[in-house]
């Protein structure tokens, strides 16, 4: 009774040069990540794994006889074929070691037939047997960094393989279209060849036809003279047609040779595409497994997209910052039963960007926010398409999504007077007034120093009679508990000069308690 191949899924392959006494192999990680590399498993285990697999199926394992060498096991004609992969002077191969790595060697024979190595092995490595991932690989020591980086490696490999496959498919389709056109050209050449041959045969038949007898001498002489002239003309025509036929056959031979070359290229591309598909599918399957494990860490689909765009280090900084933002806690800013007057009391004296959202008795919701010592109130519509300040921007599925967007985007997108973001949830402000004020002062001091530095540089440039470069003042990064007025001063300059969006419905602002009472 054979042991199930899945039994060996927990046997994590060790890369070449994995021993302590061996020197570092730069291709070790590449080989270890190859789906078809199974590491240190026995021949009997390989036999169980490959049992019943179709021709072209293969895997690579460590050679048992010599450290640093490998064994390729291939199914051909329903039986196992073992091929030793040698390692000499940093190169790999079956006989002549000319490949820089085992992966390079395998990739070569995925496209090219093994008959180049052994005439009896007219087959390519078309079906890699994928080694299942074990728990240690999928979640190494619970380290999110390693898991995320392995996911990114797989994602980049998948993109690279997909782009390569798409390019090959594009060329494949182009050649296919060209071959169909050339086939029509060949048919035209063949019809033209038959027509010329028919014309030549007809002319030669007429030339060889004997003249009629029974004419008197005078008529016979005239007839012979005319016939001789006709035959000379026909012979000239026949020679001309034959010359044309020769040219036609020459061009047709060129066309046929070109078509044969294109057919070989077409077949080669077809082999490459067929060889790439299983590997592409295995990478997709592996990426899906890693995606599931990332989600086990609490990472959402949107976070995974940002991880791909930003890379792990930048993503982690942003992720940690976002996770720790008080905006994520709705109780910090959503006061359902809060009235307009209560909102004013809560926001009175708060810094710019301090906000809350409340439900309106008349329906929908209201944003109350401080901007430049003034308390403003804006309606938030709840529609079938989502929440928002005005159509067609009612696109946020939840109030939290709306808050997340405007926590980093200025409200002046919809109201020119609100040159701020949703910076400080009102409850968080009341819980951390001293800390927030201290951070605001520090940021204002940093801004003052930066401005002073810019002025000094401008003075130096003017003194040196050099043109002054354009100075961009980037907003200062803040933590979730910090807020400042710095972004407010720059917001107006960031508003696009065209296609002004609908203004958010502002129901008045108040300073010191005076404002409209319609919200």
């Amino acid at each position: 009774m054979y042991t199930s191949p899945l039994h060996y899924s927990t046997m994590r392959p060790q890369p070449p040069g994995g021993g302590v006494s061996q020197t570092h192999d730069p291709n070790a990680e590449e080989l270890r990540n190859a789906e078809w590399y199974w590491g240190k498993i026995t021949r009997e285990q390989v036999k169980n794994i490959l049992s019943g697999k179709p021709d072209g199926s293969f895997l690579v394992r460590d050679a048992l006889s010599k450290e640093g060498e490998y064994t390729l096991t291939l199914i051909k004609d329903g039986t196992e074929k073992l091929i030793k992969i040698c390692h000499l002077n940093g190169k790999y191969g079956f006989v002549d070691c000319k490949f820089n790595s085992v992966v390079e060697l395998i990739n070569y024979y995925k496209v090219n037939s093994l008959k180049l190595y052994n005439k009896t092995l007219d087959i390519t490595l078309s079906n890699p047997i994928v080694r299942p991932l074990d728990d240690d690989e999928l979640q190494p020591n619970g380290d999110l960094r390693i898991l995320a980086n392995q996911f990114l490696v797989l994602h980049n490999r998948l993109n690279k393989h997909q782009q390569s496959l798409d390019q090959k498919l594009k060329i494949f389709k182009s050649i296919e279209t060209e071959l169909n056109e050339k086939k029509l050209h060949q048919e035209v050449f063949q019809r033209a060849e038959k027509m010329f041959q028919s014309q030549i045969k007809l002319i030669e038949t007429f030339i060889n036809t004997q003249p009629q007898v029974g004419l008197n001498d005078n008529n016979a002489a005239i007839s012979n003279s005319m016939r001789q002239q006709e035959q000379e003309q026909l012979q000239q025509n026949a020679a001309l047609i034959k010359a044309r036929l020769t040219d036609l056959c020459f061009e047709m031979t060129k066309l046929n040779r070109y078509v044969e070359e294109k057919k070989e290229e077409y077949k080669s591309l077809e082999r490459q595409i067929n060889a790439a598909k299983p590997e592409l599918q295995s990478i997709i399957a592996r990426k899906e497994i890693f995606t599931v494990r990332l989600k086990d860490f609490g990472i959402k689909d949107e976070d995974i997209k940002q991880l791909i765009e930003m890379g792990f280090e930048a993503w982690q900084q942003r992720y940690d910052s976002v996770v720790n933002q008080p905006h994520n806690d709705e109780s910090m800013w959503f006061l359902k039963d809060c009235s307009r007057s209560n909102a004013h009391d809560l926001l009175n004296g708060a810094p710019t960007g301090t906000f809350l959202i409340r439900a309106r008795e008349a329906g929908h919701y209201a944003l109350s926010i401080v901007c430049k010592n003034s308390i403003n109130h804006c309606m938030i519509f709840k529609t079938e398409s989502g929440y928002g300040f005005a159509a067609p921007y009612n696109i946020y599925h939840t109030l939290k999504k709306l808050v997340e967007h405007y926590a980093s985007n200025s409200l002046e997108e919809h109201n020119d007077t609100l040159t701020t973001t949703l910076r400080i949830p009102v409850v968080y402000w009341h819980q951390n007034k001293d800390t927030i004020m201290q951070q605001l002062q520090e940021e204002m001091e940093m801004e003052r120093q930066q401005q002073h530095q810019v002025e000094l540089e401008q003075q130096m440039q003017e003194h040196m009679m050099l043109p002054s470069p354009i100075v961009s003042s980037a907003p200062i990064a803040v933590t979730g508990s910090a807020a400042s007025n710095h972004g407010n001063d720059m917001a107006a300059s960031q508003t696009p000069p065209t296609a002004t969006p609908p203004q958010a419905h502002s129901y008045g602002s108040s300073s010191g308690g005076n404002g409209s009472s319609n919200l």
Side-chain angles (χ1 to χ4, degrees):
M1 180 177 179
Y2 292 125
T3 308
S4 168
L6 295 179
H7 172 73
Y8 306 105
S9 65
T10 57
M11 301 183 62
R12 185 176 183 178
Q14 295 300 314
V20 176
S21 61
Q22 293 188 1
T23 58
H24 174 68
D25 185 344
N27 300 309
E29 190 64 22
E30 179 188 40
L31 178 59
R32 183 184 181 281
N33 288 329
E35 298 89 345
W36 37 258
Y37 175 62
W38 285 68
K40 292 183 178 180
I41 59 175
T42 66
R43 181 172 179 178
E44 187 65 24
Q45 291 169 354
V46 172
K47 183 177 180 180
N48 294 339
I49 293 167
L50 292 177
S51 177
K53 295 295 188 293
D55 283 4
S57 300
F58 74 95
L59 62 80
V60 174
R61 61 181 173 88
D62 293 344
L64 301 178
S65 58
K66 186 176 180 181
E67 190 75 20
E69 293 188 344
Y70 307 91
T71 300
L72 166 67
T73 306
L74 165 73
I75 299 297
K76 173 73 166 65
D77 299 328
T79 61
E80 301 170 41
K81 306 294 182 183
L82 276 66
I83 305 175
K84 181 180 179 181
I85 300 176
C86 302
H87 183 205
L88 182 65
N89 297 328
K91 300 286 186 178
Y92 297 87
F94 298 137
V95 178
D96 297 328
C97 295
K98 59 181 181 179
F99 296 95
N100 294 319
S101 67
V102 177
V103 173
E104 182 180 308
L105 180 148
I106 296 299
N107 287 341
Y108 178 81
Y109 285 106
K110 282 183 177 181
V111 176
N112 300 280
S113 174
L114 282 161
K115 70 180 181 179
L116 298 173
Y117 154 71
N118 186 325
K119 293 181 180 180
T120 64
L121 297 177
D122 189 7
I123 192 171
T124 59
L125 303 177
S126 58
N127 185 37
I129 303 301
V130 177
R131 169 183 53 81
L133 295 172
D134 59 33
D135 290 340
D136 188 39
E137 287 179 281
L138 287 172
Q139 195 174 5
N141 302 320
D143 192 331
L144 178 60
R145 179 189 302 274
I146 297 177
L147 182 64
N149 284 331
Q150 289 179 341
F151 169 82
L152 291 174
V153 168
L154 274 177
H155 174 78
N156 292 332
R157 284 178 60 194
L158 178 60
N159 279 352
K160 183 178 178 181
H161 278 70
Q162 187 65 63
Q163 290 171 4
S164 175
L165 181 60
D166 290 345
Q167 183 65 23
K168 289 174 181 176
L169 283 169
K170 183 178 179 181
I171 298 173
F172 182 80
K173 292 293 184 182
S174 174
I175 294 176
E176 187 176 49
T177 301
E178 185 180 9
L179 285 175
N180 289 332
E181 293 175 352
K182 297 302 181 185
K183 184 178 180 181
L184 296 176
H185 296 171
Q186 286 177 313
E187 292 174 355
V188 171
F189 271 116
Q190 290 171 358
R191 288 197 295 268
E193 181 184 23
K194 289 180 180 179
M195 182 184 68
F196 283 172
Q197 289 175 345
S198 176
Q199 289 290 322
I200 293 171
K201 184 177 181 180
L202 181 63
I203 291 173
E204 289 178 344
T205 300
F206 188 83
I207 292 174
N208 295 329
T209 301
Q210 296 297 324
Q212 296 181 359
V213 296
L215 299 175
N216 56 40
D217 293 341
N218 291 333
N219 291 336
I222 294 172
S223 177
N224 289 336
S225 176
M226 291 176 62
R227 178 171 178 75
Q228 185 176 0
Q229 293 177 3
E230 289 176 352
Q231 286 184 332
E232 290 176 355
Q233 185 64 43
L234 289 171
Q235 288 172 351
Q236 291 177 4
N237 290 343
L240 181 60
I241 293 174
K242 287 179 180 180
R244 296 279 178 84
L245 179 59
T246 300
D247 293 339
L248 179 70
C249 291
F250 177 75
E251 294 298 327
M252 188 165 63
T253 301
K254 284 175 58 178
L255 175 61
N256 292 339
R257 188 181 302 116
Y258 178 80
V259 168
E260 289 303 316
E261 291 174 355
K262 280 296 177 182
K263 283 182 178 179
E264 287 300 318
E265 185 179 354
Y266 182 83
K267 291 177 182 178
S268 175
L269 274 172
E270 187 175 31
R271 289 194 298 269
Q272 293 178 40
I273 291 169
N274 290 334
K277 285 180 178 179
E279 186 172 2
L280 185 67
Q281 292 170 353
S282 68
I283 296 175
I284 291 173
R286 287 190 165 216
K287 182 183 176 183
E288 289 176 351
I289 294 173
F290 274 88
T291 300
V292 170
R293 288 304 178 96
L294 284 172
K295 290 181 178 180
D296 289 343
F297 275 87
I299 310 301
K300 300 177 182 178
D301 288 331
E302 186 175 333
D303 298 320
I304 292 175
K305 290 179 181 178
Q306 292 174 348
L307 170 64
I308 291 171
E309 294 174 358
M310 303 171 66
F312 180 76
E313 300 298 336
W315 171 83
Q316 186 180 42
Q317 291 180 5
R318 184 184 183 281
Y319 181 77
D320 291 343
S321 173
V322 169
V323 168
N324 294 326
Q325 287 283 345
H327 300 65
N328 287 322
D329 185 354
E330 291 188 18
S331 65
M332 290 287 173
W333 48 263
F334 183 51
L335 307 181
K336 183 178 180 180
D337 299 324
C338 181
S339 66
R340 178 187 175 100
S341 60
N342 290 339
H344 177 272
D345 293 339
L346 289 170
L347 294 172
N348 190 28
T352 292
T354 306
F355 73 98
L356 62 86
I357 292 177
R358 52 192 172 85
R360 297 175 68 245
E361 293 182 0
H364 301 289
Y365 296 87
L367 166 70
S368 299
I369 185 169
V370 179
C371 183
K372 299 178 181 178
N373 298 318
S374 175
I375 300 175
N376 300 265
H377 307 275
C378 298
M379 181 180 289
I380 299 174
F381 294 94
K382 180 183 179 181
T383 67
E384 292 183 358
S385 60
Y387 295 87
F389 293 113
Y393 298 97
N394 302 326
I395 58 175
Y396 304 99
H397 298 307
T398 64
L399 287 172
K400 186 175 180 181
K401 289 294 183 183
L402 181 145
V403 169
E404 288 177 356
H405 175 78
Y406 287 103
S408 55
N409 295 275
S410 176
L411 287 163
E412 68 176 332
E413 289 182 354
H414 297 294
N415 190 316
D416 292 338
T417 64
L418 297 179
T419 55
T420 182
T421 59
L422 304 182
R423 306 198 68 182
I424 311 173
V426 65
V427 177
Y428 186 79
W429 155 249
H430 283 281
Q431 292 176 347
N432 301 273
K433 284 185 178 181
D434 293 339
T435 302
I436 293 174
M437 291 304 298
Q438 182 179 353
Q439 290 175 343
L440 288 173
Q441 290 174 0
E442 291 175 354
E443 289 170 3
M444 291 175 65
E445 178 61 23
M446 289 177 62
E447 182 181 357
R448 189 193 65 77
Q449 292 177 1
Q450 287 184 346
Q451 183 62 34
H452 180 65
Q453 182 66 26
V454 169
E455 292 174 356
L456 287 177
E457 291 176 358
Q458 290 176 339
Q459 291 175 5
M460 291 178 62
Q461 290 169 350
E462 291 173 358
H463 179 72
M464 298 173 64
M465 301 298 290
L466 292 175
S468 177
I470 298 175
V471 178
S472 62
S473 180
I476 302 172
V478 298
T479 64
S481 61
S484 74
N485 300 337
H486 175 67
N488 304 333
D489 299 331
M490 300 301 297
S493 63
Q494 298 170 353
T495 303
T498 60
T500 303
Q503 292 288 309
H505 293 270
S506 178
Y507 289 86
S509 61
S510 59
S511 179
N514 297 323
S516 61
S517 59
N518 55 356
L519 188 62

